[in-house]
Amino acid sequence: NAGVMQNPRHLVRRRGQEARLRCSPVKGHSHVYWYRQLPEEGLKFMVYLQKENIIDESGMPKERFSAEFPKEGPSILRIQQVVRGDSAAYFCASSPGQVGNTIYFGEGSWLTVV
Amino acid sequence: DQQVKQNSPSLSVQEGRISILNCDYTNSMFDYFLWYKKYPAEGPTFLISISSIKDKNEDGRFTVFLNKSAKHLSLHIVPSQPGDSAVYFCAATVLTSGTYKYIFGTGTRLKVLA
């Protein structure tokens, strides 16, 4: 199964700690998207990355959140000094990058801040 | 500014009947549309897509209709099955400043009654 792999699936952090979420795209896909789903809400775009570049981070909170997609290894979504409002499901998706191509999602990472 | 809207948060349908899920959008530059299905605690799964140059695309029990003049998209599921019970998201994409962003609606929860 060469689908989008996300880990950890579940993460519990205390307020003020850091959360790191990882995403390995479909083999051969060079574009990664991160979305957040708050309880009872839809999928909100956060950031779009290509290898080593952030293409669009207009949906990312200005503080405490950062994302990277290095040349080697998975994409990382990092949340510093987590607060209770960061509790959500974080989904990563990948695509080859051409318009008209479907983006494929991972199973998600559920962050709970206590 | 919600560019993709799913105005019905929920829908109940009898098994064997047709399910019709609706989606409206505001940006006439969107050129590709997708539907995803999501079960609880799982990632969204791609269902079907349609290019803006078409008005219909069919795949088994699933058909997507696009009415560009009305900026309206619909997903028909015939016949509906209990396993179709899930949240359905529509999404649209457009090339903007060299990047592709996939904008999702807030989802419609479909319940198929046995």
Side-chain angles (χ1 to χ4, degrees):
Chain A
N1 183 355
V4 178
M5 303 299 292
Q6 289 189 248
N7 69 84
R9 289 295 313 277
H10 298 275
L11 183 64
V12 179
R13 284 287 178 267
R14 296 186 184 278
R15 281 177 294 171
Q17 291 186 319
E18 178 181 287
R20 283 193 180 216
L21 309 177
R22 295 173 201 81
C23 169
S24 295
V26 173
K27 189 175 181 181
H29 285 189
S30 58
H31 295 240
V32 163
Y33 303 78
W34 284 94
Y35 288 82
R36 176 165 68 173
Q37 185 180 27
L38 294 167
E40 305 303 320
E41 293 190 11
L43 295 161
K44 296 290 187 185
F45 169 79
M46 296 183 75
V47 62
Y48 166 32
L49 309 105
Q50 292 180 31
K51 283 283 187 182
E52 299 185 275
N53 286 306
I54 296 175
I55 305 303
D56 184 340
E57 56 181 348
S58 58
M60 199 108 96
K62 293 285 185 275
E63 297 178 352
R64 302 187 298 107
F65 285 73
S66 62
E68 62 176 9
F69 189 15
K71 186 177 180 181
E72 302 290 338
S75 175
I76 306 285
L77 179 67
R78 182 183 179 204
I79 311 172
Q80 295 178 289
Q81 299 174 335
V82 296
V83 300
R84 288 222 170 107
D86 297 331
S87 295
Y90 292 83
F91 294 99
C92 171
S94 75
S95 82
Q98 300 162 353
V99 67
N101 268 289
T102 303
I103 59 172
Y104 296 93
F105 283 87
E107 292 293 293
S109 291
W110 269 257
L111 172 65
T112 302
V113 180
V114 297
Chain B
D1 177 25
Q2 188 67 27
Q3 296 188 64
V4 178
K5 299 178 184 178
Q6 293 177 257
N7 293 317
S8 297
S10 63
L11 174 69
S12 291
V13 171
Q14 284 294 134
E15 181 180 7
R17 308 294 287 266
I18 184 171
S19 294
I20 300 177
L21 298 110
N22 294 304
C23 181
D24 297 297
Y25 60 95
T26 57
N27 188 343
S28 59
M29 299 302 292
F30 285 142
D31 53 15
Y32 194 66
F33 303 87
L34 310 94
W35 283 94
Y36 288 80
K37 176 168 77 171
K38 185 181 181 303
Y39 294 118
E42 294 186 11
T45 303
F46 170 71
L47 266 180
I48 192 168
S49 61
I50 187 167
S51 165
S52 60
I53 62 173
K54 295 186 175 181
D55 55 19
K56 177 182 174 181
N57 189 25
E58 192 172 353
D59 183 2
R61 297 187 298 115
F62 302 91
T63 303
V64 56
F65 295 92
L66 176 62
N67 183 334
K68 288 179 63 178
S69 60
K71 296 192 182 70
H72 180 80
L73 189 67
S74 63
L75 174 68
H76 292 211
I77 307 173
V78 181
S80 301
Q81 299 172 355
D84 296 329
S85 296
V87 178
Y88 289 78
F89 292 97
C90 67
T93 187
V94 62
L95 178 60
T96 305
S97 302
T99 74
Y100 305 118
K101 190 188 299 185
Y102 291 73
I103 310 294
F104 283 80
T106 52
T108 296
R109 186 179 303 276
L110 172 66
K111 188 171 184 179
V112 179
L113 307 170

